[in-house]
């Protein structure tokens, strides 16, 4: 009997391991697909002369991100190394390998976010170099502090303030960090030529609304892999995360619809704002709290993006700083508000800790980006020449246009 029991236990363990591996693999594939969403959102927003560059840049960034995270970033964040035999790597159905793939798709979102802000005037290879350093060092530094307990920050929060910083799926760790890195990059690059005419701001219209919408739809669908599968095991999966993601998305849509006065660009970015904001507390909030969180994020994006585009010299093409940076920071704080049991949440969270953790994430992102982009700006320059920018990144960098029109 004992032998039979051992066999059954072994079979159950193997089934559990393989199920968790498949579950996380599907999540990794869904988040990987989101990079197509980033690409088409940018393609639809930029002018036609920069569409090829948008597509190539996102894919090239992913390739560089994979190398940076494989050799450096994953070790910085989790102490993991792949310099062992394949037999060791394949243990447990290769779950740790699939976990790396899943976390890589999160890390690669950083340059994908930045790409939308710096579009239409950035040089190609200097930006890929910046991608290597941000994914290899800057992002995993904060990722490891929050999700792996590095440097004792989470222990300090828990020991002194009662609770650790909570960011279930990366409102701050991924989106906030990416958005604030993008802000620094945008500031170094400056405004696109032609944005100021006769002393007034001119906004370039999106080149292709259907592509913009396609990108938003791909991102919205993939986000359920981003959020729900952040549980990383079947045992940890929660329908509450799915429901809260849905309600935050809906809140973002409706808020952007009203605040954006039917503008299709705002309407299609509204769900993304809501989904960014709910990542942190999606496993804690009541669905009504998630709805409010998403609605506030939608309004934040519309009004802040409108203001900076019409009143400042901050030329953030896709509005990635308000969308990811500000809405991501709001998400970290919102988790501390709507995660409270008094507001229908599950509790076990501190608003003070959420504010402090969010500010630390912003600080690391800004300081790291200033070093990376500032260094590259000083050594080789980040921006296309005026002639190249006028010609467009497609012809200047890739020697081909998005259409074969004569």
């Amino acid at each position: 009997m004992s032998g039979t029991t051992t066999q059954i236990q072994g079979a159950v363990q193997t089934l559990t391991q393989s199920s968790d591996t498949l579950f996380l693999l599907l999540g990794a594939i869904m988040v990987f697909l989101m990079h197509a969403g980033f690409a088409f959102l940018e393609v639809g927003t930029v002018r036609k002369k920069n569409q090829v560059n948008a597509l190539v840049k996102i894919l090239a960034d992913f390739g560089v991100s994979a190398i940076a995270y494989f050799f450096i970033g994953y070790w910085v964040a989790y102490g993991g190394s792949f310099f062992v035999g394949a037999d060791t790597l394949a243990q447990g159905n290769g779950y740790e390998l699939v976990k790396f793939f899943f976390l890589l798709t999160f890390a690669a979102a950083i340059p994908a976010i930045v790409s939308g802000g710096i579009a239409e005037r950035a040089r190609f290879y200097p930006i890929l170099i910046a991608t290597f350093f941000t994914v290899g060092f800057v992002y995993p530094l904060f990722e490891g502090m929050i999700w792996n307990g590095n440097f004792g920050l989470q222990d300090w929060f828990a020991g002194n303030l009662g609770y650790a910083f909570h960011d279930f799926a990366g409102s701050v760790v991924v989106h906030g960090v990416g958005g604030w890195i993008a802000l620094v990059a945008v500031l170094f690059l400056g405004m696109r030529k032609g944005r100021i005419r006769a002393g007034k701001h001119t906004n370039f219209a999106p080149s292709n609304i259907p592509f913009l919408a396609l990108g938003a739809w791909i991102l919205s669908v993939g986000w359920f892999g981003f959020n729900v599968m952040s549980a990383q095991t079947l045992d940890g999966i929660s329908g509450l995360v799915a429901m809260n993601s849905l309600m935050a998305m809906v809140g973002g849509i409706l808020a952007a619809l009203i605040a954006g006065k039917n503008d299709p660009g705002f309407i299609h970015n509204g769900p993304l704002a809501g989904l960014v904001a709910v990542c942190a507390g999606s496993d804690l909030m009541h669905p009504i709290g998630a709805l409010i969180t998403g609605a506030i994020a939608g309004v934040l994006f519309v009004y802040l993006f409108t203001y900076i585009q019409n009143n400042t010299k901050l030329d953030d093409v896709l509005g990635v700083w308000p969308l990811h940076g500000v809405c991501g920071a709001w998400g970290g704080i919102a988790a501390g508000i709507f995660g409270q049991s008094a507001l229908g949440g599950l509790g076990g969270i501190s608003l003070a800790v959420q504010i402090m953790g969010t500010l630390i994430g912003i600080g690391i992102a800004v300081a790291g980006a200033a070093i990376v982009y500032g260094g590259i700006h000083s050594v080789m320059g980040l921006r296309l020449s005026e002639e190249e920018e006028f010609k467009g990144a497609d012809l200047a960098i890739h020697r081909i246009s998005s259409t074969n029109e004569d």
Side-chain angles (χ1 to χ4, degrees):
M1 288 294 292
S2 60
T4 304
T5 301
T6 301
Q7 289 178 339
I8 293 174
Q9 290 175 340
V12 170
Q13 183 179 11
T14 300
L15 179 62
T16 301
Q17 288 177 339
S18 59
S19 298
D20 287 342
T21 301
L22 178 60
F23 170 75
L24 197 55
L25 176 60
L26 293 174
I29 292 169
M30 289 181 71
V31 183
F32 178 45
L33 181 61
M34 290 176 70
H35 288 76
F38 283 117
F40 279 99
L41 189 68
E42 185 173 335
V43 167
T45 304
V46 299
R47 290 167 290 179
K48 286 185 178 180
K49 63 183 180 179
N50 297 298
Q51 289 180 327
V52 171
N53 180 246
L55 292 169
V56 174
K57 192 168 40 160
I58 296 291
L59 191 57
D61 273 333
F62 190 89
V64 172
S65 296
I67 295 300
Y69 201 65
F70 182 87
F71 286 105
I72 303 172
Y74 193 65
W75 173 78
V76 171
Y78 302 101
S81 171
F82 298 98
F83 294 101
V84 294
D87 56 339
T88 302
L89 295 174
Q91 290 178 359
N93 297 101
Y95 176 82
E96 290 299 323
L97 298 180
V98 174
K99 181 180 178 181
F100 164 80
F101 180 18
F102 183 70
L103 292 171
L104 164 64
T105 59
F106 279 51
I110 300 298
I113 290 167
V114 174
S115 177
I118 63 175
E120 300 202 310
R121 76 274 203 201
R123 295 177 63 199
F124 189 63
Y125 285 106
I127 293 304
L128 292 183
I129 293 171
T131 291
F132 183 87
F133 285 103
T134 53
V135 175
F137 296 97
V138 181
Y139 165 73
L141 176 64
F142 187 62
E143 176 192 19
M145 292 169 68
I146 302 305
W147 286 344
N148 197 49
N150 295 353
F151 304 110
L153 177 65
Q154 292 285 46
D155 290 338
W156 187 88
F157 280 147
N160 292 277
L161 299 171
Y163 299 103
F165 179 72
H166 188 89
D167 192 353
F168 179 70
S171 283
V172 180
V173 173
V174 180
H175 299 286
V177 168
W180 286 87
I181 288 175
L183 173 64
V184 174
V186 167
L187 288 171
F188 273 113
L189 279 161
M191 299 184 75
R192 288 167 289 172
K193 299 298 181 182
R195 283 273 286 113
I196 301 291
R197 297 178 184 175
K200 296 182 180 180
H201 285 69
T202 299
N203 293 318
F204 303 127
S207 61
N208 193 310
I209 294 296
F211 275 162
L212 185 157
L214 175 63
W217 274 103
I218 293 172
L219 284 165
S220 296
V221 172
W223 224 294
F224 287 87
F226 198 101
N227 283 3
V228 176
M229 292 176 175
S230 283
Q232 299 189 17
T233 62
L234 275 172
D235 182 58
I237 193 170
S238 170
L240 182 63
V241 175
M243 183 64 171
N244 284 339
S245 299
L246 174 66
M247 296 305 286
M249 180 181 72
V250 169
I253 292 171
L254 297 178
L257 172 67
I258 297 169
K261 300 177 181 178
N262 304 330
D263 182 284
F266 286 136
I267 292 170
H268 285 93
N269 276 282
L272 309 184
L275 286 163
V276 165
V278 82
C279 287
S282 56
D283 62 329
L284 296 178
M285 294 179 181
H286 187 280
I288 296 176
L291 178 68
I292 297 170
T293 297
I296 292 174
V299 171
L300 275 174
F301 172 72
V302 170
Y303 284 114
L304 187 54
F305 181 61
T306 301
Y307 178 79
I308 64 173
Q309 287 296 93
N310 294 326
N311 298 282
T312 74
K313 292 185 177 181
L314 180 64
D315 191 6
D316 183 348
V317 180
L318 269 66
V320 297
W321 174 61
L323 181 66
H324 296 274
V326 176
C327 290
W330 158 240
I333 296 168
I337 299 171
F338 296 106
Q340 301 289 345
S341 56
L343 293 177
L346 298 182
I349 192 167
S350 163
L351 177 57
V353 169
Q354 293 304 114
I355 293 172
M356 292 174 65
T358 298
L359 291 175
I360 291 171
I362 291 171
I364 290 174
V366 169
I371 294 170
V372 171
Y373 286 95
I376 295 173
H377 175 71
S378 299
V379 173
M380 63 181 68
L382 290 166
R383 184 162 178 158
L384 294 172
S385 68
E386 188 170 347
E387 180 182 352
E388 290 171 328
E389 187 179 340
F390 177 78
K391 185 188 299 183
D394 293 358
L395 292 177
I397 297 173
H398 308 290
R399 307 292 188 265
I400 192 169
S401 63
S402 60
T403 59
N404 194 27
E405 298 173 354
D406 295 328

